[in-house]
Amino acid sequence: MTRSQRRDLYASVAAVLLVTAAVLLGRHIQATSHTLFVNWPPVLASWGPHLGPGTPAAVAVAIGTVAYGPALAARLPWRSLLPLAWATALAWIFSLALIDGWHRGIAGRLTTRHEYLQVIDRFDDIPATLHGFTDHILLGSPDHWPAHIAGHPPAAPLTFVLLDRIGLGGGGWAGMWCITVGATACVAVLVTIRALADEALARRAAPFLVLAPAAVWMGTSADAYFAAVAAWAVALLALAVTGRSLWRAGASGLLFGLTCYLSYGLTLVALIGAAVLWLGRQGLRKRPVLLVPLLAGLAVVPALFTLAGFDWWEAYRLLVTRYHQGVGGTRPYGYWVWANLACAVLITGLATAVGLRRTGAVLVRARDGAPGRAAEARLALLLSAALLALLVADLSGMSKAETERIWLPFALWLLPACAFLARPRAWLIAQALLALLLNHLLLTGW
C-alpha cells in the first residue's frame, strides 16, 4: 500500500468514526435529555427497514452507473453527456424516493404541517401576503407561519403558489418539480468544472455527481430545488467570466438574487461565487463591463420583493428569534456543531471524504509550485470555497440538525472531489451502497 493509499484509508476511517460517534453519543443524549428532537441522530429519521416499489429501479440504476458510468463519462461527446447525467440523476433520485412509496416518498412530502403546501390558500392576494409576511414569523404572532415558511423568504412558498396557479397543484406536482429541477444541479456543477478547470476533471466527477447519496434527501425536498437554482447561478457566472458573455452574467445575477430569496442561508453561496470570480479574473479584467449586468440582474429579485413590501433583513432578524423559540433553541450546539459534519459525510459519502483529503494534497502541491497541476488546483480552490461555506453555516448555530437536506446546495459542490480518486468504480460502489442502505433502513422525514 502506497503512502497516498494509507492516507486515503485514514481519511475514510476518520469519517466512519465521526458518524459512529454522532450516532452513539446522539442516541445517548436523546435517550437521557431528549434535547436533540431526532429519532435516529444525527439525521432526522426513524429506524424502519423496508422495501418499496422503487427498490428494483434504484438497484438497477446503481448497477448500471457503476458498470458503465465511468466509461461513458470518459467517451461520450460533451453535449450527450450532460443530458445523460441529468436523466440518470433524475432516475436515481426518483427511484430512491419511490422506495418509500408514491405518497410517503413524493406526493405527501410537501403537504405535511411544516411544509409549503399548507399555506397555498393564504396567498390568494400575493401582494398583500408579501406585505404582511413578516407579521406571521414569530410563534406568538397571529396565524404564525409553519416552520418551513417562517424559515425561508417568500420566494420559496411563492414557487408552489405559482405552480398551483398554472394547474400543477398538490403534493405530486410539487414533489416532481423539486426532483426534476433538483436533478439538473449535477449538470450545472459539471458545466462549472469544465469552464473553470478542465473537461477531463468534469468527466471524472460526473458519475459521482449522478450517484450521490444526497439523492436520498433530494427526493423529495424543496432544498433540492434551491440547490439547483444556486448551482445554475454559479454555472452561469463561470460561463460568463470565461466566455465574457454579458447575457450569462445578467442571468447569473438574476439567479443569485432568487437564491437569496429562496433561503436565507444560501447567501453563503456568494463564497462559491467569489471563488468563480477569482478563477475567472482574467476574463473579468478583459471585460470588466460584465459586472454591470451581473449586478443589475442581482438587484431584480430583491427590488421586486422590496417593492411588494417584504423586508428581507427584518424577516431574517425575526427568523433568528423564531428559530430559538422552537427546537433550535433547545438543541445543544456542542453536539450539532460536529454532528452536522457527520450528516455531511452521510450525504456526500466516504468517497467524498477521501476526495477532500486529496483536495488538500492538491492545494499543498499547488503552493509548492508543482508543474502540470493547474486544472486540479483550480478545482481544489472551488471545492475549498464550498467547504468554507458549509463550515460557516455550521458555526453560525443556525444549522442545528436537518442539515442532511439544508446543506444540499453546498454538499453538491463537494462531490467533485471524487475526481481526484484512484479506482473510481470501487468508490462508486461504496457511494451507491450507502444511499441504498440509508433509504432502505431509515424512514427519513422533516
Side-chain angles (χ1 to χ4, degrees):
M1 183 180 292
T2 66
R3 183 170 62 177
S4 180
Q5 289 173 329
R6 283 197 300 273
R7 289 175 177 174
D8 287 348
L9 177 62
Y10 299 153
S12 59
V13 169
V16 170
L17 291 176
L18 177 65
V19 173
T20 302
V23 172
L24 296 178
L25 185 57
R27 289 178 65 84
H28 173 73
I29 294 172
Q30 182 64 9
T32 55
S33 63
H34 307 287
T35 56
L36 298 188
F37 298 96
V38 292
N39 292 327
W40 203 88
V43 297
L44 185 62
S46 300
W47 180 259
H50 62 290
L51 299 174
T55 297
V59 172
V61 172
I63 292 173
T65 305
V66 169
Y68 303 106
L72 287 173
R75 297 172 186 167
L76 278 177
W78 181 253
R79 290 190 177 183
S80 299
L81 175 61
L82 294 182
L84 180 62
W86 170 76
T88 309
L90 179 63
W92 180 235
I93 299 169
F94 187 65
S95 59
L96 286 173
L98 283 180
I99 291 171
D100 293 339
W102 169 255
H103 180 76
R104 192 183 190 283
I106 297 176
R109 287 286 195 180
L110 298 172
T111 63
T112 62
R113 64 189 182 95
H114 296 303
E115 283 286 2
Y116 302 100
L117 268 62
Q118 290 291 320
V119 300
I120 296 295
D121 58 346
R122 292 177 62 176
F123 280 79
D124 288 339
D125 186 340
I126 291 176
T129 304
L130 294 178
H131 185 75
F133 191 89
T134 56
D135 296 335
H136 307 286
I137 292 177
L138 297 180
L139 280 178
S141 60
D143 297 322
H144 63 262
W145 296 118
H148 287 187
I149 291 81
H152 294 82
L158 192 56
T159 297
F160 301 101
V161 171
L162 295 177
L163 284 175
D164 184 76
R165 293 281 178 91
I166 64 173
L168 303 181
W173 284 114
M176 289 306 300
W177 166 266
C178 292
I179 290 174
T180 305
V181 176
T184 69
C186 73
V187 178
V189 176
L190 291 176
V191 168
T192 305
I193 297 170
R194 183 176 185 255
L196 296 175
D198 69 12
E199 188 173 310
L201 286 171
R203 289 176 178 275
R204 280 155 53 184
F208 292 94
L209 282 159
V210 165
L211 212 60
V216 173
W217 290 275
M218 293 185 77
T220 303
S221 165
D223 294 272
Y225 157 53
F226 304 161
V229 174
W232 280 110
V234 174
L236 286 169
L237 182 59
L239 291 174
V241 295
T242 55
R244 298 191 284 280
S245 168
L246 293 175
W247 77 265
R248 284 171 174 162
S252 173
L254 188 66
L255 289 183
F256 269 117
L258 177 58
T259 297
C260 295
Y261 278 73
L262 289 171
S263 174
Y264 298 103
L266 291 188
T267 52
L268 291 172
V269 173
L271 292 173
I272 305 176
V276 171
L277 290 175
W278 173 257
L279 293 170
R281 62 191 181 279
Q282 185 175 359
L284 199 58
R285 285 172 183 163
K286 290 181 178 179
R287 202 174 190 188
V289 72
L290 288 170
L291 291 175
V292 175
L294 176 66
L295 295 175
L298 183 61
V300 171
V301 173
L304 290 175
F305 277 97
T306 302
L307 289 172
F310 174 73
D311 187 334
W312 192 97
W313 295 102
E314 173 67 8
Y316 179 73
R317 184 187 66 80
L318 293 171
L319 165 64
V320 174
T321 302
R322 167 72 181 263
Y323 186 78
H324 291 95
Q325 286 178 330
V327 296
T330 304
R331 284 171 169 160
Y333 180 84
Y335 171 78
W336 288 111
V337 73
W338 61 271
N340 284 337
L341 301 180
C343 289
V345 172
L346 291 175
I347 61 177
T348 59
L350 288 180
T352 303
V354 175
L356 288 174
R357 199 285 302 172
R358 290 190 171 227
T359 299
V362 169
L363 290 173
V364 169
R365 288 196 298 267
R367 185 188 62 188
D368 293 341
R373 299 283 185 172
E376 291 186 355
R378 292 164 73 83
L379 176 56
L381 180 60
L382 185 67
L383 297 172
S384 299
L387 182 60
L388 177 61
L390 187 147
L391 292 175
V392 172
D394 187 34
L395 294 173
S396 72
M398 293 294 289
S399 298
K400 289 184 283 187
E402 303 180 51
T403 52
E404 60 270 21
R405 63 169 180 82
I406 296 172
W407 284 357
L408 287 174
F410 307 121
L412 290 176
W413 292 96
L414 301 181
L415 291 164
C418 299
F420 298 132
L421 296 174
R423 301 180 62 195
R425 186 166 281 111
W427 286 112
L428 270 177
I429 292 172
Q431 296 288 86
L433 285 176
L434 175 59
L436 290 170
L437 285 172
L438 286 169
N439 218 141
H440 282 93
L441 295 179
L442 300 178
L443 293 168
T444 58
W446 38 85

